[in-house]
Amino acid sequence: MAVKVLVVDDSSFFRRRVSEILNADPRLEVVGNAVNGKEAVEMAGRMQPDVITMDIEMPVMDGITAVREIMQANPTPILMFSSLTHEGAKATLDALDAGALDFLPKKFEDIARNRDEAVSLLQKRVTELARKRVFMRRPARTATTLRDASRDNSPEPVRPLSAARSAVGSQSLSTSNLKSANPVSALRQPAARPTAAKPAARFKPSGKKYQLMAIGTSTGGPVALQKILTALPANFPLPIVLIQHMPATFTAAFAARLNNLCKIGVKEAQDGDVLKPGMAYLAPGGMQMMLDGRPGSVRLRIIDGGDRMNYKPCVDVTFGSAAKVYHDKVLSMVLTGMGADGREGARMLKNSGATIWAQDEDSCVVYGMPQAVAKAGISSEDLPLERIAERISVELGLA
């Protein structure tokens, strides 16, 4: 059965162009077009699409407001189209904060090196995002089922970035949307007795000593990074390097946003930066970030890296250089993202004795990068996003 897509944009040319690309893939079917956010909200409720592509600037109701209303009424995977400008970056991050799952540049020539590659990427992104629909539309669960879910790693419903700040260490419980599959038969059943709540499994520290934390991610990464980093204390004992697949014009705005939200410091990395504890360095888009020196005196090298690399920044590049400098003293994570970037770098880290964790499938927007690491037997633990910050605290003796 084809993935149903709603295309939202005030430009008839862009709606037609996107619709043609998506309909050319037999896995996808454009079921409707909306010219503004207000129409999108109404059509999302009526058509129940699997994925929505959304423009940001539109008349009547802008895309960010529309995302917020759709996520409240009919949670649906949303792919934003944005301009590669500083203002476009800020607006796109606001859309992710409202609940959108991913974004792509609106100019297709900015997506990839040629048209065929851009078309394939758009089709693949929409197909991958459709897989999250079933999780986003699960009914709310009771306290008992939430605790039970922690035993089998069932995912929490996808929440916007704004919810991430209070999500770690707490659960928002609601039964207002809880529905029985068969209301009539449910009424005939005796009331179930409450079962004893069982706490989530407790983590144990490995006893290893670390000098660096490294995190690589792509699709869904802005949400995941914010959720983890906002939970870290101001006295976090390690420097952190972050590799997020993101356009060059976006990384400065993303780093600034994280810096405003986090207790630790966050900045876009610059060539020559000296790594300091309690500071996170985000690899600049369009460049490669490498580590140089020895523990206690490590600097960042920001280089172009040439056109041979598929990713700029590339997780493999940064992880590989971290392995050469810090050897077994690295705590590293591969989070949600499409593709397999990070696998070879993580392999180098593991061969040096470092620790590698992967985000689990249920909590990923796209289970590509973590899956590549897990399938290769490189990661020692697969963790749900909502517990990664807790796991870090236990491992470093902060809890």
Side-chain angles (χ1 to χ4, degrees):
M1 189 173 181
V3 171
K4 299 184 297 181
V5 185
L6 173 63
V7 175
V8 185
D9 199 288
D10 60 326
S11 165
S12 60
F13 170 78
F14 195 75
R15 291 197 307 273
R16 183 169 62 253
R17 191 180 187 191
V18 171
S19 296
E20 288 173 352
I21 290 173
L22 297 181
N23 282 327
D25 189 324
R27 300 170 297 176
L28 307 171
E29 178 188 3
V30 175
V31 295
N33 287 264
V35 300
N36 57 59
K38 186 176 181 180
E39 278 193 9
V41 173
E42 185 274 325
M43 294 175 73
R46 177 164 48 85
M47 294 183 168
Q48 298 288 299
D50 299 308
V51 178
I52 299 172
T53 70
M54 181 81 69
D55 189 23
I56 291 179
E57 296 183 7
M58 294 181 291
V60 184
M61 179 185 288
D62 63 87
I64 297 171
T65 303
V67 169
R68 191 173 292 114
E69 293 198 9
I70 290 169
M71 295 305 293
Q72 289 176 349
N74 297 284
T76 306
I78 298 176
L79 173 69
M80 303 301 298
F81 282 111
S82 66
S83 60
L84 291 184
T85 64
H86 180 69
E87 288 304 314
K90 292 173 62 178
T92 302
L93 293 171
D94 286 339
L96 294 174
D97 191 63
L101 290 188
D102 197 12
F103 65 91
L104 282 175
K106 193 163 187 179
K107 291 184 178 179
F108 281 18
E109 55 267 31
D110 293 327
I111 294 177
R113 288 169 288 194
N114 59 67
R115 185 184 183 281
D116 289 343
E117 187 178 345
V119 166
S120 176
L121 179 59
L122 173 56
Q123 294 169 340
K124 190 172 182 179
R125 286 283 181 94
V126 171
T127 303
E128 290 286 348
L129 290 184
R131 298 179 182 179
K132 296 304 296 183
R133 180 178 179 271
V134 64
F135 298 130
M136 298 178 74
R137 294 189 172 176
R138 282 182 175 177
R141 290 175 287 174
T142 63
T144 299
T145 56
L146 278 171
R147 293 188 183 98
D148 288 344
S150 68
R151 299 200 302 271
D152 61 9
N153 288 334
S154 296
E156 288 302 300
V158 173
R159 287 172 288 185
L161 283 173
S162 55
R165 301 170 202 169
S166 60
V168 177
S170 64
Q171 298 285 4
S172 176
L173 307 181
S174 171
T175 57
S176 58
N177 295 321
L178 192 60
K179 297 181 181 180
S180 168
N182 189 333
V184 175
S185 62
L187 289 173
R188 296 172 183 165
Q189 301 298 322
R193 294 183 179 180
T195 57
K198 294 185 178 180
R202 297 183 65 178
F203 295 121
K204 295 180 180 179
S206 68
K208 291 184 65 174
K209 301 298 181 183
Y210 301 97
Q211 296 177 342
L212 176 74
M213 187 163 80
I215 305 177
T217 185
S218 184
T219 310
V223 176
L225 288 176
Q226 181 169 313
K227 188 163 190 176
I228 294 168
L229 297 178
T230 52
L232 301 182
N235 63 344
F236 192 75
L238 306 178
I240 306 169
V241 290
L242 308 171
I243 310 94
Q244 162 73 59
H245 294 168
M246 190 173 266
T249 51
F250 279 42
T251 44
F254 184 43
R257 176 170 296 216
L258 288 174
N259 188 60
N260 289 333
L261 293 172
C262 297
K263 301 181 185 71
I264 62 170
V266 183
K267 64 167 295 188
E268 183 183 44
Q270 294 179 306
D271 189 56
D273 278 342
V274 177
L275 296 188
K276 298 178 181 179
M279 191 75 193
Y281 303 85
L282 179 68
M287 306 293 284
Q288 301 295 356
M289 181 170 70
M290 302 181 69
L291 287 68
D292 189 27
R294 65 180 188 276
S297 181
V298 178
R299 295 180 180 271
L300 294 178
R301 291 177 55 208
I302 307 300
I303 62 175
D304 178 78
D307 294 329
R308 292 179 299 172
M309 303 299 295
N310 289 329
Y311 303 106
K312 290 184 177 183
C314 176
V315 181
D316 284 331
V317 169
T318 305
F319 276 19
S321 68
K324 293 179 180 178
V325 173
Y326 286 101
H327 307 291
D328 62 333
K329 300 297 191 295
V330 182
L331 173 59
S332 61
M333 278 146 268
V334 177
L335 307 180
T336 174
M338 189 178 297
D341 186 25
R343 178 180 57 199
E344 298 313 311
R347 194 189 307 277
M348 292 177 68
L349 283 168
K350 183 177 182 180
N351 290 340
S352 298
T355 298
I356 299 94
W357 298 337
Q359 185 176 344
D360 74 355
E361 180 176 6
D362 287 345
S363 64
C364 283
V365 172
V366 177
Y367 187 54
M369 290 165 56
Q371 182 184 40
V373 172
K375 276 194 170 182
I378 298 170
S379 58
S380 59
E381 297 182 44
D382 297 332
L383 300 164
L385 175 60
E386 62 269 16
R387 300 199 69 193
I388 290 178
E390 175 193 355
R391 181 69 185 94
I392 293 170
S393 295
V394 171
E395 183 69 5
L396 298 182
L398 305 176

